């Protein structure tokens, strides 16, 4: 009888470990999938930005700092994407958020300039490229929301007492939730 109780207890603990492990694997895969979707949306945004900048540069004075800055921040964004093919661990999100923040400000300014300057707003190609870039920014924002939700769910699951033990044994670590 004692062996039966010990065996039952061992099976229950084993089932708990396996189910906790599988839950963490599932949540981690969701995080990585949403990160890949955000990376894809960001690459698409960068493509739209390059197209927009090529056209926009023809209408601003040569050597315009905004255009040069936007190109540099777009390159920084691309480098950040290459540096983090997987979701970054907690605390390693600064380079991405800094590049994105600068880029967003510059894009907002250039869109405002386009909307308020008659010779720019009359250019159908430029307006079309600006619209494509705006759509890609929206898609990027949507993907970041999905990433943040999945990262928060994963990190919360890691905080449970049982998951802490499993995370230590199997090497699960919190991921960055974003800025």
């Amino acid at each position: 009888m004692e062996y039966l109780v010990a065996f039952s207890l061992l099976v229950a603990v084993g089932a708990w470990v396996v189910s906790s492990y599988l839950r963490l694997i599932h949540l981690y895969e969701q995080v990585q999938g949403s990160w890949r979707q955000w990376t894809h949306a960001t690459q698409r945004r960068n493509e739209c930005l390059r197209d927009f900048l090529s056209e926009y540069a023809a209408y601003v004075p040569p050597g315009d700092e905004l255009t040069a800055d936007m190109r540099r921040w777009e390159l920084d964004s691309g480098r950040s994407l290459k540096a983090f093919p997987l979701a970054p661990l907690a605390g390693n999100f600064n380079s991405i958020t800094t590049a994105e923040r600068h880029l967003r400000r510059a894009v907002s300014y250039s869109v405002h300039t386009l909307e308020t300057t008659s010779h720019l707003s009359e250019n159908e190609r430029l307006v079309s490229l600006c619209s494509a870039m705006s759509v890609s920014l929206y898609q990027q924002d949507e993907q970041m929301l999905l990433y943040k939700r999945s990262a928060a769910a994963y990190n919360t699951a890691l905080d449970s007492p049982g998951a802490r033990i499993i995370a230590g044994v199997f090497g699960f670590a919190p991921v960055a939730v974003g800025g």
Side-chain angles (χ1 to χ4, degrees):
M1 184 66 168
E2 291 173 8
Y3 293 114
L4 185 58
V5 170
F7 180 73
S8 298
L9 187 59
L10 186 62
V11 167
V13 168
W16 171 79
V17 167
V18 168
S19 74
S20 295
Y21 175 79
L22 291 176
R23 175 167 165 65
L24 288 176
I25 288 288
H26 172 73
L27 290 171
Y28 183 76
E29 289 300 321
Q30 281 184 331
V31 168
Q32 295 307 323
S34 60
W35 180 256
R36 282 189 295 275
Q37 290 298 319
W38 180 80
T39 300
H40 178 72
T42 302
Q43 289 169 342
R44 173 75 179 119
R45 188 275 325 265
N46 287 349
E47 291 168 7
C48 290
L49 181 61
R50 279 191 293 275
D51 293 343
F52 173 76
L53 285 174
S54 295
E55 189 74 20
Y56 185 74
Y59 294 94
V60 294
D64 179 63
E65 287 184 33
L66 178 65
T67 305
D69 287 345
M70 286 186 2
R71 287 185 199 280
R72 183 172 44 86
W73 292 321
E74 182 267 327
L75 289 172
D76 287 348
S77 173
R79 280 192 290 275
S80 294
L81 292 177
K82 288 179 184 169
F84 295 105
L86 298 175
L89 298 178
N92 291 341
F93 213 61
N94 289 342
S95 64
I96 294 171
T97 55
T98 301
E100 291 299 316
R101 189 173 33 254
H102 287 303
L103 195 52
R104 295 243 173 192
R105 278 191 211 126
V107 166
S108 294
Y109 179 77
S110 63
V111 168
H112 174 72
T113 302
L114 176 98
E115 291 172 343
T116 58
T117 308
S118 61
H119 76 280
L120 294 177
S121 62
E122 293 170 358
N123 182 316
E124 289 181 29
R125 171 123 171 94
L126 196 56
V127 170
S128 172
L129 290 170
C130 184
S131 295
M133 187 174 54
S134 296
V135 168
S136 69
L137 283 168
Y138 172 77
Q139 291 169 341
Q140 183 191 24
D141 288 343
E142 290 296 308
Q143 293 303 322
M144 180 50 78
L145 282 174
L146 293 174
Y147 168 75
K148 285 180 179 182
R149 286 183 194 139
S150 63
Y154 171 73
N155 288 345
T156 300
L158 283 176
D159 280 341
S160 69
R164 285 187 192 141
I165 296 167
I166 292 168
V169 171
F170 293 104
F172 290 98
V175 294
V177 176

